[in-house]
Amino acid sequence: MEQKLFVYNTLTRKKEEFIPLDAPHVGMYVCGPTVYSDVHLGNCRTFISFDLIFRYLLHLGYKVRYVRNITDAGHLEGDADEGEDKVSKKARLSQLEPMEIVQKYTVDFHEVMKTFNALPPSIEPTATGHIIEQIELVKAILDTGYAYEVDGSVYFDVEKYNLTQDYGILNGRKLEDMLNNTRTLGGQNEKHGKLDFALWIKAKPEHLMKWPSPWGVGFPGWHLECSAMSNKYLGHKFDIHGGGMDLMATHHTNEIAQNVASCGNNPATYWLHTNMLTVNGQKMSKSLGNSFLPEQLFKGEHELLTRGYGPMAVRFFFMQASYRSTVDFSNDALEAAEKFYKHLAKAAKKLSALQQNTLVAVDGEAESAIIAACEDCYNGMNDNFNSPKTLEALNNLSKSINSFADGTRNSGAVSAETFDRMKKTYNDFFYDVLGLKQDDNQSGDTEGLLGLIVDLRNQAKVNKDYATSDKIREGLKQIGFQLNDNKQGTTDWVKL
Ligand SMILES: [Zn+2]
């Protein structure tokens, strides 16, 4: 590869050149969803960010094994060793089997990811499918002396581990600080230290999902599954480990400790973390009433939304920020993203029909603008997957495409090589790397027909023929199209 890829590594707190352990193979593990409720938008953003990373690595020619787990057991309500298992609780409240809950929300999650045009991972292992591996891992940690058993539960001894290792290596914090800032959590009367965490938890009689083990009937601690499954599918050392930033301080910190204690090393070279979503500047949360599901966003069914936004516009909106920055949802920002997305999508459509004219005198300025924009597409992504930079470069390329398509510039004014490079780079980045596609609702015949109907309706309004204009509006609504009106008339429409 001619250009170097740099990634921001949480572990070292700096940008580093990406050098895989065994190129062209790359191993990437991303913590997946806990399938007990509808996937929320913050999670979607994380998985879309890693989809972008996965796609770019594939584009660079790497053979990527992308493992993203499904947590279907062991994730307790408090995210620590307290409360009820999230899946079990939902099953109990819904009077269903836990596996019915898991099935429903796994299928829903896959559908949402497909709607966002995210590629499926190479392997999607589940916690319940790897109980044996998790038990073996607990045994290995007991063998090295970093865990202890108390009445059927097994805990990781953080303070003992920290005598020879750096427990806070990922977030750069000292053990004393962490001890001072930790509240007392579940199982505390059994734990030797405040930061100790459960590897195996003894099941109460009413607990729904439990398995036999050398320590009695129980279930694995939440952090254990990711160590067990990454070990199994990517080996003891692999390239990238990712997840949401909220997982860094505890879940990933504990994962590293488990791996070091069982096989002697931190599992991943590069640790990547995605930032969170905010709504009008506030953290998105159910209790604040500003949280909505992907489906609500597509349909505009929330009091904070003035209308719906298609999945590609939302995907585009996420990519307008770097994965490490927060993203703030607002109607204005979504509207701007949709407009920008449509602009680039239109250029992609024009490009597919664009043929080069016979070469005339080469226009040096046009030629170098295209070459620079093509290089900038790569420069953006090579700079820690900086998608906003790449979008800007695509925008610059779209200017050349539009000028050739509308005839303001002769496409024969650039060399055939540069013309082909423009075509290839634009298509590669728009479709393959950024994972965008033409919005089916607004392509081809449908777009043309809707445009014609909207024109007729605007004309009816000008003629004060409100009966016709209302009839068109209602008729379209019944077949699933909503017109968006503003002072200038109807300017846009969405598929409901
Ligand atoms: Zn995990």
Side-chain angles (χ1 to χ4, degrees):
M1 264 140 254
E2 325 161 359
Q3 297 144 315
K4 291 173 177 175
L5 167 63
F6 285 84
V7 300
Y8 182 87
N9 191 353
T10 308
L11 194 62
T12 56
R13 282 164 279 283
K14 56 179 188 234
K15 270 188 209 170
E16 293 174 345
E17 187 184 346
F18 179 67
I19 304 171
L21 295 163
D22 180 26
H25 300 281
V26 169
M28 176 164 89
Y29 188 94
V30 173
C31 292
T34 302
V35 282
Y36 73 105
S37 70
D38 294 304
V39 62
H40 63 78
L41 275 168
N43 274 348
C44 292
R45 186 198 176 196
T46 294
F47 302 130
I48 289 170
S49 298
F50 284 103
D51 182 57
L52 177 72
I53 290 169
F54 180 39
R55 283 169 173 276
Y56 189 56
L57 293 171
L58 291 174
H59 175 74
L60 292 179
Y62 290 117
K63 296 186 187 325
V64 188
R65 182 179 292 166
Y66 171 21
V67 182
R68 186 184 66 204
N69 68 303
I70 293 277
T71 296
D72 56 355
H75 193 171
L76 303 186
E77 284 176 289
D79 286 348
D81 304 332
E82 59 182 353
E84 206 174 339
D85 178 293
K86 292 184 178 190
V87 172
S88 289
K89 184 180 181 183
K90 184 80 171 205
R92 184 173 58 75
L93 294 175
S94 327
Q95 294 186 305
L96 293 168
E97 276 292 320
M99 280 300 134
E100 285 182 280
I101 299 295
V102 166
Q103 181 73 12
K104 173 180 166 33
Y105 291 110
T106 303
V107 169
D108 287 356
F109 169 63
H110 287 159
E111 270 174 23
V112 170
M113 284 297 107
K114 206 172 165 191
T115 309
F116 279 122
N117 203 28
L119 298 172
S122 327
I123 306 177
E124 198 169 38
T126 62
T128 57
H130 297 77
I131 298 295
I132 292 170
E133 288 82 352
Q134 295 184 74
I135 290 174
E136 289 304 312
L137 193 61
V138 177
K139 284 191 204 165
I141 301 172
L142 279 166
D143 283 350
T144 56
Y146 290 108
Y148 54 92
E149 186 204 341
V150 182
D151 187 28
S153 292
V154 181
Y155 298 100
F156 191 96
D157 192 332
V158 171
E159 282 163 73
K160 182 174 179 188
Y161 172 82
N162 200 65
L163 292 175
T164 52
Q165 303 290 337
D166 180 5
Y167 176 67
I169 191 166
L170 194 59
N171 59 2
R173 291 180 65 191
K174 293 256 173 287
L175 190 76
E176 300 77 63
D177 295 345
M178 287 193 254
L179 281 167
N180 291 336
N181 290 310
T182 301
R183 63 195 171 94
T184 304
L185 295 172
Q188 205 57 61
N189 52 350
E190 294 185 342
K191 291 179 183 175
H192 293 175
K194 255 166 115 182
L195 290 171
D196 292 0
F197 58 92
L199 298 173
W200 187 262
I201 303 168
K202 180 183 180 176
K204 291 184 182 135
E206 67 274 19
H207 195 89
L208 291 174
M209 290 192 287
K210 52 197 170 191
W211 294 265
S213 80
W215 317 284
V217 175
F219 57 96
W222 173 39
H223 317 299
L224 196 63
E225 61 179 275
C226 292
S227 289
M229 296 190 282
S230 64
N231 269 343
K232 176 158 178 159
Y233 298 109
L234 297 169
H236 289 165
K237 189 83 193 178
F238 52 93
D239 301 297
I240 297 173
H241 194 309
M245 225 166 246
D246 53 329
L247 296 181
M248 181 185 66
T250 306
H251 182 60
H252 289 163
T253 292
N254 290 347
E255 238 186 283
I256 292 175
Q258 290 167 161
N259 280 60
V260 173
S262 60
C263 59
N265 62 270
N266 181 323
T269 315
Y270 307 96
W271 285 81
L272 272 56
H273 291 99
T274 56
N275 214 325
M276 60 176 191
L277 273 187
T278 55
V279 182
N280 297 323
Q282 272 190 312
K283 188 177 186 255
M284 190 184 242
S285 90
K286 271 187 193 159
S287 55
L288 292 172
N290 66 356
S291 140
F292 33 83
L293 299 171
E295 199 60 24
Q296 292 175 301
L297 179 57
F298 301 151
K299 292 184 176 169
E301 284 172 356
H302 194 281
E303 57 187 21
L304 291 173
L305 297 164
T306 51
R307 64 177 177 89
Y309 300 90
M312 284 304 104
V314 178
R315 184 179 171 108
F316 192 94
F317 167 71
F318 287 145
M319 294 191 299
Q320 279 186 295
S322 152
Y323 73 92
R324 285 188 47 80
S325 315
T326 53
V327 163
D328 189 44
F329 258 107
S330 68
N331 282 292
D332 288 350
L334 282 162
E335 208 145 310
E338 186 184 73
K339 208 170 153 196
F340 193 178
Y341 155 69
K342 280 186 180 174
H343 170 77
L344 294 189
K346 253 182 201 158
K349 247 193 244 172
K350 286 182 193 169
L351 184 64
S352 63
L354 195 63
Q355 299 291 332
Q356 194 180 20
N357 296 335
T358 329
L359 196 65
V360 291
V362 168
D363 175 343
E365 202 185 306
E367 181 106 359
S368 52
I370 291 173
I371 292 169
C374 289
E375 282 172 356
D376 283 347
C377 286
Y378 284 92
N379 291 339
M381 288 302 284
N382 283 335
D383 180 14
N384 192 31
F385 313 101
N386 191 331
S387 44
K389 267 193 197 173
T390 295
L391 288 176
E392 205 40 59
L394 273 188
N395 191 35
N396 287 336
L397 272 186
S398 78
K399 288 175 191 159
S400 299
I401 293 166
N402 288 335
S403 67
F404 293 146
D406 63 24
T408 50
R409 181 167 249 148
N410 188 333
S411 61
V414 294
S415 69
E417 191 194 348
T418 301
F419 187 83
D420 291 346
R421 185 170 171 186
M422 172 185 80
K423 266 195 144 178
K424 182 166 169 30
T425 307
Y426 199 91
N427 283 327
D428 282 355
F429 276 85
F430 184 84
Y431 294 109
D432 298 343
V433 175
L434 298 173
L436 295 167
K437 56 182 184 177
Q438 298 292 342
D439 198 334
D440 292 339
N441 302 335
Q442 300 179 18
S443 64
D445 297 345
T446 317
E447 190 172 59
L449 278 172
L450 260 293
L452 182 66
I453 296 170
V454 166
D455 279 351
L456 289 171
R457 179 162 178 268
N458 283 340
Q459 192 55 51
K461 278 168 121 181
V462 170
N463 298 340
K464 300 198 180 340
D465 178 3
Y466 298 116
T468 303
S469 109
D470 288 349
K471 193 174 175 187
I472 293 174
R473 180 183 186 80
E474 283 314 302
L476 284 176
K477 200 171 176 185
Q478 276 177 14
I479 57 167
F481 293 97
Q482 181 187 294
L483 301 180
N484 294 320
D485 292 342
N486 62 24
K487 283 174 202 147
Q488 282 83 44
T490 303
T491 50
D492 204 1
W493 52 270
V494 282
K495 179 111 174 71
L496 297 171

